[in-house]
Amino acid sequence: MRVPLQKIETNQTLPESADAVIIGGGIVGVFAAYYLVRRGLKVALLEKGLIGAEQSSRNWGWCRQQNRDARELPMATKSLDLWERFAAETGEDTGFRRCGLLYLSNDDAELEGWARWRDFAGTAGVTTHMLDSTKATERGRASGRIWKGGVFSPSDGTADPSRAAPAVAKAIVKLGSSVHQNCAARGIETTAGRLSAVVTERGTIRTPVAVMAGGAWASSFCRQIGIRFPQASIRSSILSVSAGADDLPDALHTADVSITRRSDNGYTLAISGRGRVDPTPQQLRFADQFVPMFLRRWRSLAPGGAEGWRSGHETLARWRLDAPTPMERMRILDPTPDRSTIELTHRRACALLPSLTKTSITAAWAGYIDSTPDGVPGIGEIASVPGFILAAGFSGHGFGIGPGAGHLIADIITGAEPLVDPRPYHPNRFKTAAWGKVADF
C-alpha cells in the first residue's frame, strides 16, 4: 500500500453466531460496531483486507462542522463530541484534537457563501468566525500574502487517518467482540424473508442483523441481494510531506490547495474536490442519476482510465457464495495516484506556503471516494430485506462524521432514541432524482 496505516492484530476464529455483523472495517463500520458492543451486543466485524486500509486512511483527517450541508451538520456536531469521548472511554488514541480549521480566500463570491453559511450555522448553535482582511492576513501570515477574508471554526479539528480506525477496532476487541481482517463477506442468507446469516469466505455467521459499511464496494454487494443502490466513485489523489515546515496552520483550506498537519508534524496536501472519473460498469448504469452532481462539480473532475474497471469494486457481475468474489481478488483498493495532480498539488502548496520547500514528499496515494447522487450518505434499514442496514455513500465526508454515523446505526438497530434525525439519510430517497438536492459543500 502507498498510504500510511497502523497495522493491528485481530481475531482469527470466526464466531458461529453474533447479535450483529458489520461488513466493512472503515471508520463507519468500526464505530457502528463499537457503539453496539458498548450496549452489550455480541458483534463480529468483517474486513476483507486490513482495518482502515481504504478511504478511511486516505482522507485529510478533517472533523468539521464548517461548511457542512444542512443535512449533515447535526451529525457533524455530535461527532466532534463523540471523537473526544471515545478517547476518554477507551484510552485509545485516534489523534483527534480540536485545533480549529482555517479557510482563506480572495474571492468575494466565496466569502459571501461562507458568510451565509455562518448565519445558517448560528441557528444550529455552531460558532464560526468570519475574518476581515486584517485578521485573515494575520492568520495566514505563513503565506506572505494579503487576503480579502476568511473564516475560522475554533471547535472543529482533525484526527489521524492512519490510526483512527485501527484504534477503534482495538477497543472493540478489548470489549469482548471480534474483528476479522482478510475475511470477505460474500453475501447473506434469509429465513422467511428476513436476514438470518452472513456468508463469508471462512464460513457462515448466524445473525439477525448485518450492516453494509463497505464503502466503494457497497453497491455491487447490494446488487447481489436485489437492492439497487446508486453509487459512483471518484479517484482522488493526495500526498504527504515530511516535518520541517515552520509556523504553518494546523489545518488550512484555500481554493488552490489545502493542508493538514499530521501526527508526525509532516503535512497532508490536497486540492479540494479534484479527482478522476474512472469509467466502470456501475457508473454507466447509474449515469443518469448522477447528472445533477456532475453539473455541479464538473470543473473539478477529469476523465480517468481503466483502473477502476479492473479493480472490480463497481462490477455488475453476479457472484457465488461458494467461490472467490471480487473482494478476495482485490483485498485493498489502492489505486494509482494521478501524477499530474500530485505535482500540481505540491507546486501550489510550496507557492502558497514557502516554508514547505524545506520538506520532502514522503508518500503519495489515491483513494476511491464513494458518492451518492446527492452527496449525502445512505443510512437505514432496507425494507425488502429486514435486518439489512445500509451505511455507505459518504461522499468524502465519512471520516469526520464516522462516530455520529456509527452511533446512529447502533440506535437504529437497538431501537434507541436516534442521535440525530435519521430521515435525511434513508436510502429510500434514491428512488427519486437528485435535482435541487445536491449537497452544497
Side-chain angles (χ1 to χ4, degrees), residues 188 195 210 212 221-222 225 227 380-382 385-390:
I188 66 168
L195 187 141
M212 167 38 63
F221 187 98
C222 286
I225 54 178
I227 297 170
E381 185 174 23
I382 303 300
V385 188
F388 185 82
I389 313 294
L390 179 65

Side-chain angles (χ1 to χ4, degrees), residues 80-373:
L80 287 167
D81 292 337
L82 293 174
W83 277 110
E84 285 185 324
R85 284 167 50 187
F86 173 79
E89 290 168 351
T90 67
E92 297 290 346
D93 183 13
T94 63
F96 176 76
R97 57 200 182 96
R98 291 186 187 253
C99 58
L101 306 181
L102 175 64
Y103 293 64
L104 298 174
S105 180
N106 282 321
D107 182 84
D108 290 330
E110 188 171 42
L111 291 169
E112 289 170 4
W114 292 346
R116 287 193 301 272
W117 188 90
R118 182 269 318 271
D119 294 340
F120 151 71
T123 67
V126 176
T127 299
T128 187
H129 303 299
M130 291 300 300
L131 308 176
D132 60 17
S133 179
T134 299
K135 292 180 179 178
T137 300
E138 168 59 24
R139 284 195 175 271
R141 58 187 177 277
S143 69
R145 301 181 184 182
I146 296 175
W147 296 92
K148 282 188 175 182
V151 63
F152 182 68
S153 50
S155 60
D156 288 349
T158 64
D160 187 342
S162 71
R163 59 182 176 176
V168 184
K170 287 193 289 184
I172 294 166
V173 174
K174 287 180 180 178
L175 288 170
S177 279
S178 60
V179 177
H180 307 273
Q181 298 181 105
N182 293 302
C183 182
R186 292 176 173 175
I188 66 168
E189 292 179 350
T190 60
T191 300
R194 183 178 182 86
L195 187 141
S196 57
V198 172
V199 180
T200 83
E201 62 180 294
R202 297 189 201 165
T204 299
I205 306 174
R206 313 307 301 182
T207 183
V209 174
V211 177
M212 167 38 63
W217 298 86
S219 183
S220 61
F221 187 98
C222 286
R223 179 174 169 80
Q224 310 306 309
I225 54 178
I227 297 170
R228 188 179 190 276
F229 174 39
Q231 185 182 38
S233 296
I234 302 299
R235 176 162 51 99
S236 175
S237 300
I238 64 179
L239 70 146
S240 61
V241 296
S242 61
D246 302 321
D247 300 322
L248 301 188
D250 288 323
L252 167 66
H253 167 79
T254 71
D256 283 342
V257 70
S258 299
I259 70 163
T260 312
R261 188 188 300 274
R262 301 178 66 86
S263 58
D264 61 1
N265 288 319
Y267 280 86
T268 295
L269 314 178
I271 299 175
S272 179
R274 191 178 182 92
R276 293 276 181 180
V277 181
D278 292 339
T280 67
Q282 187 169 290
Q283 284 197 351
L284 298 176
R285 179 192 183 200
F286 296 129
D288 60 331
Q289 288 193 248
F290 280 87
V291 170
M293 175 72 76
F294 179 77
L295 292 177
R296 177 73 69 89
R297 312 229 169 124
W298 67 270
R299 291 178 180 84
S300 300
L301 303 176
E307 185 167 5
W309 198 293
R310 293 192 298 266
S311 295
H313 62 292
E314 293 189 347
T315 181
L316 297 183
R318 304 281 187 175
W319 57 71
R320 294 163 41 190
L321 301 185
D322 61 351
T325 66
M327 289 90 73
E328 291 147 82
R329 291 189 286 273
M330 180 62 68
R331 293 285 179 183
I332 297 171
L333 284 174
D334 188 26
T336 304
D338 178 46
R339 182 51 52 186
S340 62
T341 295
I342 296 299
E343 292 173 352
L344 177 63
T345 303
H346 190 243
R347 187 164 61 249
R348 285 185 179 183
C350 290
L352 176 69
L353 301 163
S355 183
L356 287 172
T357 59
K358 296 186 290 185
T359 70
S360 58
I361 296 175
T362 54
W365 62 87
Y368 281 115
I369 297 174
D370 58 306
S371 302
T372 62

